[in-house]
Amino acid sequence: MGIYEELQARGLIAQVTDEERIRDLVNHGKAVFYIGFDPTADSLHVGHFMALCLMKRLQEAGNKPIALIGGGTGYIGDPSGRTDMRSMMTPEQIQHNCDCFKKQMSKFIDFSDGKALMVNNADWLLDLNYVEVLREVGPHFSVNRMLTAECYKQRMEKGLSFLEFNYMIMQAYDFYALFQKYGCNLQFGGDDQWSNMLAGTELIRRKLGEDAGAMTITLLLNSEGKKMGKTQSGAVWLDENKTSPFEFYQYWRNVADADVLKCIRMLTFLPLEEIDKMDSWEGAQLNTAKEILAYELTKLVHGEEEAKRAQESARALFSQGNAAEMPTTELAEGDFADGTIDILSMLVKAELVSSRSEARRTVEQGGASVDGEKVTDIKAVFAKDTFAGEGVILKKGKKKFRRLVAK
């Protein structure tokens, strides 16, 4: 089985152009491919996970990845999947975010000895002359056709700025620039990027001829990845300072039964033969599958030692009611009134809720527990001595945990 067939078997490929040529390229290690990352935050999140894993798989098969950081397109903002316009970032914010991406990507991609490239589209986009772009690129884009793209149609009712309207042109120009500068012959992206990617392929062929050889492939990358990247409490980050290894492990440990095997197939590097045997798993076996998923992905992002610690802590949490490596909040003297603290204050202090009103709703709806005991009284208080030693485990729902200890 070639790498192309493996990607198909893992359920990653959604649409392609020139399938036989793409199959030949990637199976014989001849692809120079890029995936773009817009620097809208100072950390990648699990919504980027499929892209990073894909780049790792293809590089291990002999192909050359180009990680394109959108330092230039970051000035505009991708309208895909959004109902409003992105806030404008300063050049300093964009550069800081780009620097953070580089460090995180190196865990997945080997950039040594020219085996992969990391480039910033600010290097060419910011130097473009507006009139030259209109003359050089503008004739190759039909406004009527652009407006039929899904990424634009969903914004038409609320309003699409001319700034964002240019995003497709800028992304298309990226592929054109990468093709000329680095011999990039293939681009990968999520299914919500299909129109933008096709625009890049067509721009190259129209400017350089039908035989230019640029091709496009789209994965189940953003449609699945963006779901994975968000939880009720926000993003699950790859930066351990934003999402601890334990929290990262717990996120994957708590995926839905219906999704666990799909995630194992798409995201882990376990052999397909091993994964195929799991297809018949059900009941308690799915909990084992979730542990496998959580461990493998935590190891990939944070290393084997952290993955083992997170797994041991998670098991201790469910078997004994506490876990030494769980994210911890220390309660200071000022957090106690007359030697006690109420359940609402505990939830707020632990940052499991954003306000006392949310804490009240959580308790009233039966979503709060202390050391495995459900707390339904919003006036419940706990003495300071309760938090001595290893403290207590405060839970909100099934997925959010925090250990509270007294200083």
Side-chain angles (χ1 to χ4, degrees):
M1 180 186 293
I3 185 61
Y4 185 84
E5 288 75 22
E6 181 177 346
L7 296 179
Q8 287 182 311
R10 289 183 180 274
L12 289 168
I13 296 178
Q15 300 179 81
V16 300
T17 64
D18 310 288
E19 182 172 35
E20 289 308 309
R21 293 174 67 188
I22 292 173
R23 186 193 306 270
D24 179 68
L25 274 180
V26 299
N27 281 348
H28 292 89
K30 297 184 293 185
V32 180
F33 68 96
Y34 96 90
I35 297 179
F37 300 82
D38 273 344
T40 53
D42 60 1
S43 172
L44 298 167
H45 57 70
V46 297
H48 298 112
F49 214 80
M50 286 191 192
L52 295 171
C53 292
L54 171 73
M55 297 175 88
K56 181 178 175 68
R57 294 184 204 279
L58 288 170
Q59 186 180 48
E60 290 178 349
N63 299 286
K64 185 174 183 177
I66 299 177
L68 177 65
I69 307 298
T73 42
Y75 283 85
I76 297 175
D78 183 2
S80 298
R82 295 187 61 84
T83 58
D84 56 0
M85 185 174 168
R86 291 188 188 276
S87 59
M88 299 288 283
M89 294 188 295
T90 66
E92 292 76 18
Q93 287 175 314
I94 292 173
Q95 185 57 52
H96 172 71
N97 294 349
C98 289
D99 293 340
C100 293
F101 280 18
K102 290 181 182 180
K103 182 179 178 181
Q104 293 175 355
M105 287 181 180
S106 295
K107 294 182 179 180
F108 295 83
I109 306 165
D110 182 3
F111 290 98
S112 66
D113 303 321
K115 296 174 186 173
L117 297 175
M118 182 174 292
V119 298
N120 188 332
N121 62 15
D123 293 343
W124 54 83
L125 292 181
L126 299 189
D127 291 333
L128 291 175
N129 177 281
Y130 183 63
V131 174
E132 288 179 0
V133 172
L134 290 178
R135 290 175 58 84
E136 182 180 357
V137 180
H140 302 292
F141 285 83
S142 163
V143 172
N144 290 348
R145 186 172 180 182
M146 289 173 71
L147 289 176
T148 64
E150 192 62 36
C151 63
Y152 290 145
K153 284 198 300 184
Q154 61 190 359
R155 287 290 306 281
M156 291 302 290
E157 289 186 9
K158 287 200 170 185
L160 176 71
S161 72
F162 181 69
L163 177 71
E164 294 171 294
F165 186 64
N166 281 271
Y167 191 89
M168 180 185 290
I169 297 174
M170 295 296 96
Q171 184 169 330
Y173 195 90
D174 281 344
F175 196 18
Y176 173 65
L178 291 169
F179 181 83
Q180 290 190 302
K181 289 175 178 286
Y182 306 107
C184 180
N185 52 23
L186 189 59
Q187 59 179 332
F188 286 78
D191 55 0
D192 63 346
Q193 296 291 311
W194 183 242
S195 296
N196 293 346
M197 293 193 297
L198 284 180
T201 299
E202 292 178 8
L203 177 62
I204 292 173
R205 290 177 174 174
R206 289 179 182 179
K207 288 190 66 63
L208 303 178
E210 286 296 321
D211 297 326
M215 290 168 281
T216 300
I217 187 168
T218 180
L219 309 178
L220 285 173
L221 183 62
N222 284 331
S223 61
E224 297 293 338
K226 284 182 177 178
K227 293 177 190 175
M228 294 178 184
K230 298 291 184 180
T231 67
Q232 291 180 354
S233 59
V236 177
W237 305 101
L238 304 192
D239 184 344
E240 63 181 12
N241 295 315
K242 288 177 172 287
T243 299
S244 72
F246 177 84
E247 291 170 318
F248 188 85
Y249 180 96
Q250 280 299 112
Y251 172 77
W252 295 108
R253 175 62 180 80
N254 287 300
V255 299
D257 289 356
D259 293 334
V260 59
L261 294 178
K262 178 171 64 176
C263 289
I264 289 177
R265 191 174 295 276
M266 286 182 164
L267 300 177
T268 75
F269 285 76
L270 296 175
L272 283 169
E273 296 80 5
E274 184 177 337
I275 299 172
D276 288 340
K277 294 177 182 178
M278 300 179 190
D279 283 339
S280 60
W281 285 11
E282 56 185 20
Q285 290 177 305
L286 291 179
N287 286 327
T288 301
K290 292 178 184 181
E291 283 198 339
I292 292 171
L293 173 67
Y295 179 82
E296 290 296 325
L297 298 191
T298 305
K299 181 174 70 172
L300 190 61
V301 174
H302 297 293
E304 187 169 10
E305 183 177 345
E306 289 291 353
K308 288 180 179 178
R309 293 173 66 183
Q311 186 173 69
E312 290 169 0
S313 296
R315 287 173 175 173
L317 169 67
F318 289 104
S319 64
Q320 302 172 8
N322 73 63
E325 301 301 329
M326 183 182 299
T328 299
T329 296
E330 291 188 339
L331 299 176
E333 187 66 36
D335 294 317
F336 296 91
D338 297 326
T340 64
I341 183 172
D342 64 85
I343 185 64
L344 303 187
S345 297
M346 289 165 59
L347 287 164
V348 173
K349 183 68 177 179
E351 297 182 343
L352 296 179
V353 297
S354 59
S355 65
R356 288 184 67 85
S357 59
E358 183 184 352
R360 179 188 291 269
R361 289 194 298 273
T362 298
V363 173
E364 290 176 338
Q365 294 168 7
S369 66
V370 175
D371 280 347
E373 295 292 328
K374 187 174 292 188
V375 180
T376 56
D377 182 1
I378 61 173
K379 297 181 179 180
V381 296
F382 297 82
K384 183 178 179 180
D385 291 347
T386 308
F387 305 93
E390 293 188 355
V392 302
I393 304 303
L394 178 64
K395 295 172 62 176
K396 179 194 174 190
K398 295 181 179 180
K399 298 184 179 182
K400 299 181 71 175
F401 309 84
R402 203 80 179 181
R403 187 161 64 104
L404 295 179
V405 298
K407 285 186 179 180

